[in-house]
Amino acid sequence: MHRISTLVLLLLATSGAWAQNPRVEFKTSMGSFALELYADKAPKTVANFIEYVNSGFYNGTMFHRVIDGFMIQGGGFDPGMREKTTRAPIENEAGAALKAGLKNERGTIAMARTPNPHSATAQFFINVKDNGFLDYRDPSPQGFGYAVFGRVVQGMDTVLRISKAPTTTSAQHQNVPQPPVLIESVSLNPAK
C-alpha cells in the first residue's frame, strides 16, 4: 500500500497535478510552524517525507539535535533518545535539488544522513542560517551534500526559538534539548 501511495504521489508531483505545493504543519511543545514542500524539485525526497508524515511516524518524536546559529534536527528519536525503526534509505537528490534552485538557506528543510550520501531515511533538519557548505558540490562522499526539499513558510519564530533551547549531552548524543522539544503532531495539508 505504501509503495502505491508513493508512486501516486510521485506521479502527481511530476505531472504538475498539484496547483501549488503541499504544506505540512508541525505542532511542537514550543509552538507551531508550516513547511511548503517542493515535489517538483525533489520528488523522491518529498514522497518519502510525506509517507512518514501520513503514517504518523513523526508524532511523539523530538528535535534531538539543536545548534543555535546552525540548524535543528528531528524525525528519528523519541523523548527517551530511543531511535525509531525506519524504512529503507532513499536516493540523495541534493544535486538535482540544487540545479532546481534549492539551497541550504535559512528556513529550508533538508534530509539528514550518515556519511553515506544515500543513507537518508526519516531524519531531517531545518537550517536557521545560510549553510552553503551543505549544498551539493560533486558526486564524492564529501561533496554530495544534503537534499533540500522544502521551506518554512509560517512560524519561523518557532524554529528560531527551538534553535535556542538549552542543550545537554545524552549518552553519545550532543546538543540534545533539555527539557525535550517534542514534535506533538505533523499533518499534511494537500494543495487544492
Side-chain angles (χ1 to χ4, degrees):
M1 183 66 170
H2 284 289
R3 291 185 198 279
I4 293 170
S5 64
T6 301
L7 179 60
V8 168
L9 179 63
L10 280 171
L11 291 172
L12 288 173
T14 56
S15 70
W18 274 328
Q20 56 186 1
N21 294 318
R23 291 189 178 211
V24 173
E25 183 177 351
F26 277 72
K27 290 184 180 171
T28 79
S29 57
M30 293 185 76
S32 298
F33 62 91
L35 302 169
E36 181 176 3
L37 306 179
Y38 303 122
D40 57 332
K41 298 176 181 176
K44 294 174 187 174
T45 308
V46 169
N48 176 69
F49 185 75
I50 288 176
E51 196 168 336
Y52 279 110
V53 168
N54 286 341
S55 73
F57 181 90
Y58 295 126
N59 300 344
T61 61
M62 62 182 274
F63 283 99
H64 65 274
R65 184 170 174 236
V66 169
I67 303 173
D68 188 21
F70 179 35
M71 59 89 218
I72 64 174
Q73 182 175 340
F77 289 85
D78 70 21
M81 288 304 291
R82 287 179 298 274
E83 193 165 5
K84 292 187 73 171
T85 302
T86 62
R87 295 188 316 275
I90 60 169
E91 177 186 344
N92 187 329
E93 294 182 297
L98 182 65
K99 282 183 186 171
L102 299 180
K103 299 178 182 179
N104 280 281
E105 297 170 329
R106 182 180 186 270
T108 57
I109 184 171
M111 292 305 296
R113 60 175 177 80
T114 70
N116 173 353
H118 303 288
S119 61
T121 55
Q123 290 186 39
F124 58 85
F125 62 91
I126 299 172
N127 293 291
V128 298
K129 74 173 206 65
D130 292 350
N131 291 312
F133 70 97
L134 298 177
D135 291 336
Y136 178 89
R137 292 185 310 276
D138 59 60
S140 72
Q142 299 78 21
F144 218 97
Y146 296 78
V148 173
F149 63 97
R151 177 177 302 279
V152 175
V153 292
Q154 198 172 12
M156 189 63 189
D157 56 329
T158 298
V159 172
L160 294 174
R161 194 166 39 256
I162 294 169
S163 77
K164 296 180 183 312
T167 61
T168 189
T169 298
S170 176
Q172 76 273 21
H173 302 283
Q174 298 177 340
N175 308 301
V176 179
Q178 198 55 253
V181 178
L182 300 178
I183 298 173
E184 296 167 352
S185 66
V186 184
S187 57
L188 176 65
N189 300 318
K192 296 179 175 52

